[in-house]
């Protein structure tokens, strides 16, 4: 593939995605308001209060929507197509039925608001100018033509590695107690001439590896950009790098520092870091920052991508154009990028990490030892997602679920004998909301807490926002405010990267026709893999009891269904009396 064809394909992808995003947004906006309020696609506010030129406090009414922190909204008086008065505000914080919203020029935007009830719908922004800028620069630069585009096409010889650097980096990792896979990953991350790809399955210490790679590169005098698709991923990695006593800052908006170590400074622009070293530092920022005044005048020696399996090729290119070498850390057996214009069943991968792993395996390494899951929880994902190369090690290897007080209900489900438990859903003909299943889960959680388990050790995962909303509402009636704040209840997408002692997976759907219609989403292997690799010692799956003769016309979906069946068949299935 020549350069022009390659760039045209990237531009077409960006444009097609933007059109798909706009069409999806308009389809939601054009729905009747009453239906959107019932489904949670719209949120009602009783009133708004401007507290600064770029910040609003919105007071919610009784009903709950699907929206969460980080979502972008538009505000309107009933019809987002005709009566929108604020565009592109982001939910920064949720607190006691109030949302803190941030956006640009809100003082001016809100002038037409006359007070009283208003509504919020999903919103988005056109990002194509950022991509156009990046692709235009790639087409004109020697780095783009000689390194980046050939690398992405699999036409660059990436086998070369500076062996002295590799050995010294790997030796340092060994002296610090890193396992063999982590030592190899650190060696490649430091010494590969152009690219290193590090696959980090759940709990294998990929952030620890990133921290040491960054430290060694900075000690060599390199300037490093640490980037990802979300601020949360960037902040988590920066925290680990900061732990290595490396000069590090975050560049971004003031609202982008959630979960960032308070000792890490945040600047609106890289040039605001007046005492930065001339050589040897790390800046954390999104790829988009490289296209704006935040970082557009900066160049780096190495770009480290975290959660690289969720980054599309055009987004990666945006950051790659700022350096000559790249370290990609991710796991293509977890969630891929959200691509609206393509089917989940499309066999082509749109993840930069998956493409690079496929085309450049000479400098690829997988971390094969998980310190999160015990050996019984590790077996199934190892066999089905990691070619039986993932093993449980460390203090959790043989540890089992152990409540301080023995339960009087759900005894076998909560015993230390069964790490993996499957319960057929009690709900009948359910789609994205299963009240009976939510009741069962709330009862299990209540018993677990009565047995003195810490609420921060509990996580509930579901594919559907509607089910997450119902679970939060139901549990809020039964639990203290403290426990509700500590228990994480969210969709699979929001749970990637997290871990808990106990995970309850609420699959919710039991309507077989509905399941058949959403089968590519429901049975997607990466989605299932993320969900079942969050727990440390106990996983309770509550979901549809699908018969072995459940048929789908698509051969790939049938393969995915068989994976699901093999999972629940491997789990302990309690008797009805145990419930």
């Amino acid at each position: 593939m020549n350069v022009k064809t390659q760039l045209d394909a990237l531009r077409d992808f960006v444009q097609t995605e933007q059109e798909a995003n706009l069409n999806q947004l308009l389809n939601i906006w054009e729905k009747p308001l009453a239906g959107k309020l019932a489904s949670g696609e719209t949120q009602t506010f009783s009133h708004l209060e401007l507290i600064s030129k770029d910040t609003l406090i919105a007071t919610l009414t009784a009903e709950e929507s699907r929206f969460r922190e980080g979502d972008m909204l538009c505000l309107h008086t009933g019809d987002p197509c005709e009566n929108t008065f604020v565009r592109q505000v982001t939910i920064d914080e949720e607190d006691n039925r109030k949302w803190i919203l941030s956006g640009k020029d809100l003082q001016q935007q809100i002038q037409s608001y006359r007070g009283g009830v208003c509504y919020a719908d999903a919103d988005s922004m056109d990002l194509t100018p950022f991509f156009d800028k990046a692709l235009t620069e790639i087409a004109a630069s020697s780095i783009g033509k000689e390194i980046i585009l050939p690398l992405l096409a699999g036409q660059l010889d990436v086998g070369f590695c500076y062996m002295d650097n590799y050995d010294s980096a790997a030796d340092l990792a060994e002296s610090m107690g890193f396992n063999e896979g982590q030592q190899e990953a650190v060696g490649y991350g430091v010494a590969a001439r152009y690219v290193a790809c590090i696959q980090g399955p759940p709990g294998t210490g990929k952030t620890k590896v990133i921290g040491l790679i960054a430290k060694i590169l900075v000690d060599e005098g390199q300037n490093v950009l640490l980037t990802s698709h979300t601020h949360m991923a960037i902040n988590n990695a920066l925290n680990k790098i900061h732990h290595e006593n490396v000069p590090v800052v975050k560049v971004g908006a003031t609202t982008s520092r959630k979960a960032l170590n308070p000792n890490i400074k945040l600047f609106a622009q890289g040039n605001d870091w007046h005492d930065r070293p001339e050589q040897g530092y790390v800046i954390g920022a999104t790829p988009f920052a490289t296209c704006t005044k935040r970082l557009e005048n900066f160049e780096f020696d190495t770009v480290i991508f975290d959660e690289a399996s969720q980054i599309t090729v055009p987004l990666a290119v945006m950051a790659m154009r700022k350096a000559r070498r790249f370290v990609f850390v991710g796991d293509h057996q977890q969630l891929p990028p959200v691509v609206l214009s393509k089917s989940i069943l499309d066999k082509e991968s749109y993840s930069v990490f998956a493409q690079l792993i496929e085309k450049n395996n000479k400098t690829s390494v997988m971390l094969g030892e998980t310190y999160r899951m015990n050996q019984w929880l590790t077996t199934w994902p190892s066999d089905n997602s990691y070619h039986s190369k993932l093993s449980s090690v460390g203090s959790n290897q043989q540890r089992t679920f152990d409540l301080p007080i023995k339960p009087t209900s759900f005894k076998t489900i909560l015993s230390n004998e069964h790490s993996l438990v499957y319960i057929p859903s009690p709900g009948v003909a359910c789609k994205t909301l299963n009240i009976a299943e939510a009741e069962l889960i709330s009862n299990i959680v209540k018993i677990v807490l009565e047995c003195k388990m810490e609420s921060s050790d509990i996580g509930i995962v579901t594919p559907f926002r509607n089910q997450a909303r119902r679970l939060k509402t139901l549990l809020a009636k039964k639990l203290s405010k403290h426990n509700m704040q500590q228990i994480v209840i969210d969709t699979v997408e929001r749970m990637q990267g997290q871990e808990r002692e106990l995970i309850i997976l609420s699959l919710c759907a039991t309507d077989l026709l509905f399941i058949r219609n959403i089968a590519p989403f429901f049975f997607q292997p990466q989605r299932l893999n993320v969900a079942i690799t969050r727990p440390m010692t106990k996983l309770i799956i509550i979901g549809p009891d699908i018969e072995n003769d459940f048929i789908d016309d698509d051969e790939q979906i049938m393969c995915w269904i068989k994976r699901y069946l093999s999972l629940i068949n491997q789990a302990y299935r309690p008797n009805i009396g145990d419930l």
Side-chain angles (χ1 to χ4, degrees):
M1 183 184 297
N2 62 42
V3 170
K4 183 179 184 305
T5 303
Q6 201 174 358
L7 289 169
D8 286 346
L10 291 174
R11 288 192 176 97
D12 287 346
F13 175 80
V14 169
Q15 188 60 44
T16 303
E17 271 298 283
Q18 173 60 23
E19 291 171 0
N21 182 55
L22 183 59
N23 288 336
Q24 182 187 65
L25 197 64
L26 289 176
N27 285 338
I28 295 173
W29 283 9
E30 291 171 353
K31 291 180 181 179
L33 179 61
K36 290 191 293 183
L37 290 171
S39 66
E41 292 173 295
T42 298
Q43 174 67 54
T44 306
F45 298 139
S46 60
H47 64 277
L48 304 173
E49 179 186 356
L50 185 71
I51 60 172
S52 77
K53 64 183 181 66
D54 295 325
T55 308
L56 288 170
I57 292 182
T59 301
L60 282 65
T61 54
E63 88 281 349
E64 294 187 10
S65 67
R66 304 179 183 181
F67 300 124
R68 298 165 298 186
E69 288 183 11
D71 288 347
M72 181 174 284
L73 310 174
C74 70
L75 309 183
H76 59 91
T77 56
D79 183 350
C81 297
E82 299 291 339
N83 307 124
T84 294
F85 58 89
V86 169
R87 291 291 308 273
Q88 298 170 355
V89 289
T90 302
I91 305 173
D92 287 336
E93 188 177 335
E94 302 175 72
D95 181 34
N96 194 26
R97 304 214 61 80
K98 291 183 184 291
W99 287 351
I100 298 177
L101 309 177
S102 68
K104 290 185 177 180
D105 303 320
L106 293 185
Q107 190 170 17
Q108 181 177 351
Q109 287 198 63
I110 205 172
Q111 287 181 359
S112 61
Y113 172 61
R114 296 293 177 257
V117 173
C118 62
Y119 306 92
D121 271 35
D123 202 358
S124 68
M125 62 187 300
D126 183 2
L127 299 173
T128 53
F130 296 97
F131 291 108
D132 288 342
K133 176 182 175 67
L135 293 175
T136 298
E137 290 184 13
I138 285 290
S141 71
S142 59
I143 290 177
K145 290 182 286 188
E146 296 170 13
I147 299 177
I148 296 174
L149 294 175
L151 172 64
L152 294 171
Q155 297 170 354
L156 185 69
D157 183 4
V158 298
F160 184 80
C161 189
Y162 298 98
M163 289 311 301
D164 287 345
N165 291 23
Y166 177 96
D167 290 340
S168 62
D171 287 346
L172 177 60
E174 182 181 17
S175 72
M176 296 174 65
F178 283 48
N179 63 45
E180 289 186 9
Q182 293 169 342
Q183 295 168 33
E184 185 181 12
V186 171
Y188 276 130
V190 170
R193 182 177 184 183
Y194 294 117
V195 64
C197 293
I198 301 167
Q199 184 183 2
T204 53
K206 68 179 182 63
T207 309
K208 177 181 175 182
V209 166
I210 288 174
L212 185 54
I213 290 172
K215 174 179 172 53
I216 296 173
L217 294 177
V218 167
D219 286 347
E220 291 178 354
Q222 290 198 33
N223 298 333
V224 177
L225 173 65
L226 185 286
T227 193
S228 191
H229 67 303
T230 67
H231 287 290
M232 187 63 74
I234 294 168
N235 294 350
N236 288 337
L238 289 181
N239 291 343
K240 196 67 177 181
I241 295 171
H242 177 264
H243 184 70
E244 299 290 343
N245 296 315
V246 172
V248 56
V249 299
K250 173 74 181 294
V251 170
T254 55
T255 55
S256 69
R257 69 169 306 126
K258 185 176 181 181
L260 186 68
N261 186 311
N263 294 315
I264 298 176
K265 293 180 180 179
L266 183 143
F267 297 107
Q269 299 181 36
N271 285 327
D272 294 338
W273 188 12
H274 298 304
D275 59 345
R276 73 175 183 272
E278 188 171 327
Q279 289 184 313
Y281 59 78
V282 175
I283 290 179
T286 65
F288 295 106
T290 68
C291 290
T292 71
K293 60 184 179 181
R294 295 192 192 280
L295 284 178
E296 63 184 351
N297 295 322
F298 278 69
E299 300 292 334
F300 299 90
D301 300 292
T302 297
V303 180
I304 300 177
F305 293 86
D306 193 16
E307 300 286 3
S309 58
Q310 292 191 268
I311 299 174
T312 62
V313 174
L315 187 59
V317 164
M318 193 180 293
M320 291 172 75
R321 77 191 207 285
K322 289 294 184 178
R324 299 185 67 88
R325 67 183 305 277
F326 320 101
V327 178
F328 291 89
V329 185
D331 181 10
H332 52 299
Q333 298 304 321
Q334 297 189 62
L335 288 171
V338 176
V339 178
L340 298 176
S341 60
K342 307 294 181 181
S343 167
I344 294 175
L345 295 174
D346 193 333
K347 289 182 169 55
E348 181 180 353
S349 174
Y350 298 96
S351 158
V352 66
F353 187 75
Q355 289 193 21
L356 287 171
I357 286 280
E358 180 182 342
K359 296 171 182 174
N360 303 284
N361 57 16
K362 291 181 180 178
T363 55
S364 301
V365 60
M366 177 181 135
L367 306 177
E369 296 181 346
T370 178
Y371 296 84
R372 174 187 299 165
M373 299 174 287
N374 67 22
Q375 60 186 358
W376 300 279
L377 291 175
T378 301
T379 299
W380 194 88
S382 178
D383 292 343
N384 289 273
S385 296
Y386 300 107
H387 306 288
S388 301
K389 294 180 179 179
L390 183 66
S391 60
S392 175
V393 297
S395 59
N396 281 345
Q397 181 183 21
Q398 298 186 39
R399 196 165 64 84
T400 57
F401 186 74
D402 188 22
L403 291 171
I405 298 174
K406 299 305 177 187
T408 55
S409 303
F410 307 114
K411 294 180 182 179
T412 58
I413 294 169
L414 298 175
S415 76
N416 60 7
E417 297 179 18
H418 312 291
S419 292
L420 177 59
V421 177
Y422 167 71
I423 303 172
S425 176
V428 178
C430 299
K431 297 178 181 177
T432 64
L433 181 63
N434 188 325
I435 297 173
E437 188 170 299
E439 287 279 2
L440 172 60
I441 291 169
S442 68
N443 290 335
I444 292 174
V445 170
K446 189 171 183 292
I447 291 295
V448 166
L449 292 174
E450 288 175 357
C451 293
K452 303 303 181 182
M453 185 175 189
E454 294 293 333
S455 52
S456 57
D457 286 333
I458 303 170
I460 304 172
V461 191
T462 179
F464 307 110
R465 288 192 179 190
N466 280 351
Q467 184 72 350
R469 280 196 302 153
R470 180 52 60 96
L471 283 162
K472 288 177 181 179
T473 301
L474 197 56
L475 283 167
K477 296 177 180 178
K478 298 186 178 185
L479 307 181
S480 68
K481 182 179 180 180
H482 169 76
N483 284 336
M484 277 303 299
Q485 289 175 336
Q486 296 297 311
I487 296 173
V488 61
I489 306 170
D490 220 326
T491 57
V492 177
E493 289 81 359
R494 294 293 183 102
M495 283 294 290
Q496 182 159 312
Q498 298 196 51
E499 65 182 24
R500 293 293 187 276
E501 190 77 15
L502 163 66
I503 289 289
I504 302 174
L505 174 56
S506 173
L507 288 171
C508 183
T510 57
D511 184 307
L512 293 184
L513 179 60
F514 175 74
I515 291 173
R516 194 184 303 277
N517 288 335
I518 65 162
F521 166 85
F522 193 76
F523 295 109
Q524 184 185 24
Q526 296 95 330
R527 182 178 301 279
L528 184 62
N529 186 47
V530 170
I532 66 169
T533 53
R534 301 308 96 200
M536 299 165 72
T537 60
K538 175 76 78 171
L539 171 63
I540 300 173
I541 301 171
I542 307 176
D545 196 5
I546 294 175
E547 300 294 334
N548 287 313
D549 57 358
F550 186 88
I551 300 296
D552 192 280
D553 295 334
D554 189 281
E555 183 178 340
Q556 184 172 330
I557 292 179
M558 278 306 304
C559 180
W560 295 357
I561 292 171
K562 289 177 181 178
R563 284 169 65 106
Y564 170 75
L565 289 171
S566 77
L567 173 64
I568 63 175
N569 289 336
Q570 185 170 310
Y572 168 74
R573 184 185 295 228
N575 297 319
I576 295 178
D578 295 331
L579 303 179

